[in-house]
Amino acid sequence: MSINKQIIMKTRPVGMPKLENFEIIENEIPEIRNGEVLIKILWLSLDPYMRGRMSTAKSYAASLHEGDVIVGGAVGRVIKSESKEFKEGDIVEGFTLGWQEYAIATPATIRKIDPNLAPIQTAVGVLGMPGMTAFFGLLHVGKPIPGDTVVVSAASGAVGQLVGQIAKIAGCYVIGIAGGKEKCNFLLNTLNFDAAIDYKNENVDDMLDKYCPKGVNVYFDNVGGNITDSVINKLANYARVAVCGVISQYNLTAPEPGLRTHRSMLTNQATTEGFLVFQFAQKYHIAIERMAKWIKEGKIVYKEDIVSGLENAPAAFIGLMNGKNFGKLLIKVSE
Ligand SMILES: NC(=O)c1ccc[n+]([C@@H]2O[C@H](COP(=O)([O-])OP(=O)(O)OC[C@H]3O[C@@H](n4cnc5c(N)ncnc54)[C@H](OP(=O)(O)O)[C@@H]3O)[C@@H](O)[C@H]2O)c1
């Protein structure tokens, strides 16, 4: 019987997660039953929404209990199958495979990956959940029109870097907001954004005045908080605010007083729409095909931040909450 290394939420984090909230345990891998497959995890995706799973606050993702293996997206290889739909050697992606070396899954919870389309880890990155979020969040919710000024926050991250590039493809003027000079240089020099604002070292209000003299037509919000307050104050008439995430709020232990936004929404006849990527699930195939084509044509590049070793997932996750990641954060679990 083989051993499965797993990472559990030992205690529920209060505020910013700490290493002591996590624990590595070992368990035997149970035999699979009829219809199930056994998957060797190769890549693990670390995503900000997982902080919501660690909390009891209302969320679209079910809460973890203390002692549960951390649930999360992963890419792996089927090494044993009792299912007609999957065979040994298939590469699969699943949203709930979790922080462990081996996972047992049913066909309904995994999908087959074509390893010829792109490197397999992109199934949890540019061709997976973050890519779908950028594509549909910008195009369906933000509704950019060529010539629009588009602002995106957390702009060098998994979602943000793609939002800005898709907005460029759509013929927009793109401003990315990110923490630090290195990330901002990447936005300007590698992703060809039109402007970048380093919110850690520059005054966001002043920079928005400089780069958006006619106001912001589309704001793709990944962070909430003070940055969002600044952008809301600069909306143009008929602006669209796509509320994707509020990472600045995920570790708060008490609500933060903020801007009253309705005046700006009213006077600019603007729209704010929160969205969850899963609402577009029926159309993922369209985005995957389009994004894969853009990658092949060199119109989209993607930056990954790869950390080796399952045991390093907790520290990497804490880093994600602090802006230490630079690009899509992945854990390489196995070859
Ligand atoms: N609605 C949906 O369906 C959906 C789907 C996927 C993701 N999301 C959301 O999209 C957002 C981005 O996710 P991602 O996977 O692309 O993560 P990511 O951008 O790769 O990583 C998170 C980044 O957020 C920034 N950040 C952290 N704390 C911050 C703070 N207090 N203020 C401002 N920025 C902060 C950091 O970048 P800097 O160094 O630039 O600060 C960090 O690198 C998250 O809010 C996530 O929850 C939503």
Side-chain angles (χ1 to χ4, degrees):
M1 187 68 74
S2 308
I3 293 296
N4 189 15
K5 214 183 267 178
Q6 303 172 304
I7 299 181
I8 58 166
M9 183 182 80
K10 188 179 175 197
T11 52
R12 196 175 294 291
V14 178
M16 189 61 76
K18 299 182 186 67
L19 283 178
E20 57 259 35
N21 297 128
F22 303 90
E23 188 180 12
I24 302 178
I25 60 165
E26 290 186 352
N27 269 313
E28 287 183 352
I29 305 170
E31 286 302 318
I32 53 171
R33 289 176 299 198
N34 193 21
E36 291 180 335
V37 296
L38 177 63
I39 298 161
K40 183 177 168 74
I41 305 285
L42 306 177
W43 295 91
L44 202 59
S45 175
L46 299 194
D47 300 278
Y49 79 86
M50 291 170 164
R51 180 63 187 87
R53 282 196 189 279
M54 296 172 196
S55 139
T56 52
K58 183 185 172 214
S59 167
Y60 56 92
S63 277
L64 292 167
H65 297 103
E66 290 181 342
D68 283 350
V69 174
I70 311 277
V71 178
V75 175
R77 186 186 308 113
V78 174
I79 56 170
K80 216 185 258 183
S81 177
E82 292 292 339
S83 153
K84 291 191 194 85
E85 292 158 65
F86 293 90
K87 60 178 189 318
E88 267 178 48
D90 281 347
I91 301 294
V92 296
E93 182 265 342
F95 193 61
T96 54
L97 296 178
W99 292 17
Q100 52 187 342
E101 290 177 322
Y102 299 91
I104 291 175
T106 54
T109 61
I110 52 177
R111 66 180 172 116
K112 219 176 273 185
I113 298 305
D114 175 4
N116 299 315
L117 196 60
I120 57 171
Q121 73 274 17
T122 59
V124 287
V126 59
L127 298 182
M129 190 274 284
M132 302 302 100
T133 304
F135 187 95
F136 292 106
L138 179 70
L139 298 177
H140 278 242
V141 184
K143 300 186 185 81
I145 299 167
D148 273 352
T149 293
V150 174
V151 173
V152 54
S153 49
S156 72
V159 175
Q161 58 175 305
L162 303 173
V163 169
Q165 293 181 84
I166 299 168
K168 287 298 295 176
I169 292 169
C172 299
Y173 181 83
V174 177
I175 298 151
I177 304 178
K181 202 168 171 43
E182 197 189 358
K183 289 183 176 180
C184 286
N185 284 342
F186 167 72
L187 301 181
L188 293 171
N189 302 330
T190 305
L191 304 186
N192 296 319
F193 285 18
D194 298 286
I197 301 174
D198 173 1
Y199 77 93
K200 289 188 174 162
N201 296 297
E202 292 179 309
N203 182 301
V204 177
D205 292 303
D206 292 348
M207 291 299 119
L208 287 170
D209 282 340
K210 179 175 166 188
Y211 297 131
C212 320
K214 292 186 180 156
V216 175
N217 303 107
V218 178
Y219 175 42
F220 192 103
D221 189 8
N222 282 318
V223 304
N226 293 336
I227 292 174
T228 295
D229 290 352
S230 295
V231 183
I232 296 285
N233 275 327
K234 302 287 187 299
L235 293 182
N237 279 342
Y238 313 114
R240 283 83 63 203
V241 178
V243 184
C244 174
V246 287
I247 195 167
S248 73
Q249 314 289 290
Y250 294 165
N251 295 298
L252 295 180
T253 49
E256 202 180 50
L259 183 76
R260 296 194 176 167
T261 61
H262 278 45
R263 187 178 180 122
S264 178
M265 303 313 291
L266 172 70
T267 53
N268 295 304
Q269 301 177 70
T271 312
T272 300
E273 185 177 341
F275 72 94
L276 296 176
V277 64
F278 312 109
Q279 77 194 68
F280 303 106
Q282 299 298 323
K283 298 178 185 167
Y284 282 176
H285 62 285
I286 300 170
I288 291 173
E289 198 184 288
R290 204 66 60 87
M291 299 278 272
K293 182 169 171 282
W294 285 335
I295 292 169
K296 285 212 166 84
E297 292 170 351
K299 289 184 180 156
I300 282 202
V301 294
Y302 57 92
K303 183 168 175 55
E304 298 170 331
D305 185 338
I306 297 171
V307 175
S308 282
L310 178 69
E311 65 283 3
N312 294 317
F317 181 73
I318 294 166
L320 181 71
M321 293 289 140
N322 287 294
K324 290 216 173 76
N325 67 304
F326 189 176
K328 168 65 203 155
L329 184 57
L330 295 159
I331 301 292
K332 190 166 174 38
V333 179
S334 182
E335 289 297 333

